[in-house]
Amino acid sequence: MREVAGKTAFVTGGASGIGFALGRAFAEAGMNVMLADIETDALTAAVRSLRDFGPKVRSVACDVADPVSVERAAAAAYAAFGNVHVVCNNAGVAAGSGIDVISLDTWRWVLDVNLMGVLHGIRTFLPHIRAHGEGGHIVNTASMAGMLAAGMGFSPYAASKFAVVAMSEGLAAELQPLGIGVTALCPGYVRTRIAEAARNRPPRYGEHVGSPLGSRVAELVRTGIDPREVAARVLDAVRNDEHYAFTHAEYRDSLKERFQAILTAYDKLDGAAL
Ligand code: NAI
């Protein structure tokens, strides 16, 4: 979508971190922006800090784990701005590790937000974007943890992010003929509040059991890149219709190693009777 000025973006997880930076970058590019988030106080503060953009930046409460809530938030965006063109399915949470130690409720929480939340955004907005025919772009926030699981140590998170990458790749192929772009956003560590994700854990998922995210991860996040760098990369990816948006150059060797290991295993088929 070369021309974004005058178009409308809907960003989940828009009250903090990457989502907030995306909202600001879109507003600076001349777009209308609807920030959607489960944390309403943070949403109010986010809109206040973007007040220079006036009524072009608004907010709506939304729990992406709940499809009805996403539908309602979409209706608020249509009422405020008319058609929506760019949808960032960005809200996400992380929890501690130990595949057999953490509770099933923790698995459900992470998958409900990080995977089903993305799906709910796609199912809600895609028919609308197809119908208005003005072009569109869907950005799904995955992670380098959706490319490299080894050593990450928090299994539901990596599982959800691998799934988001797979879903985005499939969707990109499906929507290419319609001129609707899809980007899987795969950042490394970014300076946000992700290490405090438990602040938004609804009581229905119970208490966290197992190890917490850990001080090492918190430190990596604290020293991560500025979310504004991520937002600039995303804006570029939207304008140039890119399927992947990476933000950290240092993972190249690890990616190569993973892909090479897969190819080496695959090449054992050589000479085998198929
Ligand atoms: P953050 O914690 O600063 O922002 C996440 C936002 O999502 C918060 O405003 C939170 O209230 C919202 N949220 C949580 N549950 C929600 C729900 N059920 N419905 C709606 N909103 C909800 O964290 P950050 O880092 O900005 O996270 C954004 C995305 O970036 C996530 O998908 C995360 O997995 C991803 N990511 C973050 C990285 C990092 O190092 N910070 C690295 C790679 C990916």
Side-chain angles (χ1 to χ4, degrees):
M1 233 178 60
R2 279 282 1 139
E3 257 325 310
V4 297
K7 303 262 173 55
T8 294
F10 181 94
V11 183
T12 69
S16 175
I18 295 172
F20 176 69
L22 285 171
R24 178 160 50 191
F26 290 142
E28 284 168 354
M31 300 183 80
N32 302 312
V33 178
M34 183 62 90
L35 301 174
D37 205 287
I38 199 171
E39 201 175 355
T40 48
D41 289 350
L43 259 185
T44 307
V47 173
R48 197 180 311 123
S49 74
L50 297 178
R51 63 181 165 271
D52 286 356
F53 299 100
K56 283 169 157 287
V57 176
R58 302 199 195 177
S59 70
V60 62
C62 172
D63 178 356
V64 298
D66 173 3
V68 176
S69 175
V70 179
E71 292 279 352
R72 269 197 219 114
Y78 307 148
F81 300 122
N83 292 339
V84 170
H85 307 86
V86 174
V87 177
C88 296
N89 296 306
N90 166 78
V93 295
S97 67
I99 202 160
D100 56 340
V101 179
I102 55 176
S103 66
L104 284 177
D105 277 342
T106 291
W107 271 91
R108 288 194 184 100
W109 175 49
V110 175
L111 292 177
D112 279 355
V113 178
N114 294 11
L115 174 57
M116 298 308 286
V118 172
L119 178 65
H120 296 151
I122 295 167
R123 286 176 59 93
T124 298
F125 284 100
L126 189 50
H128 165 80
I129 294 174
R130 269 204 206 97
H132 69 54
E134 297 172 359
H137 200 103
I138 296 172
V139 179
N140 297 326
T141 301
S143 168
M144 282 311 295
M147 294 272 159
L148 297 165
M152 287 299 299
F154 32 109
S155 329
Y157 188 81
S160 71
K161 297 302 187 180
F162 264 75
V164 168
V165 170
M167 196 157 62
S168 305
E169 288 175 347
L171 194 64
E174 196 181 314
L175 298 183
Q176 192 141 27
L178 304 180
I180 301 170
V182 179
T183 299
L185 168 62
C186 300
Y189 290 102
V190 186
R191 210 156 52 239
T192 70
R193 296 190 65 199
I194 191 80
E196 304 148 58
R199 72 192 186 281
N200 292 311
R201 181 176 172 129
R204 66 180 183 276
Y205 295 104
E207 291 289 314
H208 177 64
V209 179
S211 63
L213 254 193
S215 54
R216 194 180 136 264
V217 171
E219 179 60 12
L220 289 166
V221 169
R222 203 183 59 74
T223 55
I225 66 169
D226 190 312
R228 278 179 290 198
E229 285 183 48
V230 180
R233 184 74 273 284
V234 169
L235 196 52
D236 227 39
V238 169
R239 286 184 166 133
N240 296 309
D241 193 12
E242 295 169 33
H243 291 331
Y244 304 96
F246 292 105
T247 55
H248 290 64
E250 62 267 33
Y251 294 103
R252 194 173 194 287
D253 286 349
S254 308
L255 273 177
K256 204 168 161 190
E257 222 171 272
R258 173 162 187 266
F259 296 146
Q260 193 53 58
I262 292 169
L263 285 176
T264 303
Y266 191 82
D267 288 345
K268 288 197 169 165
L269 285 173
D270 276 358
L274 294 176

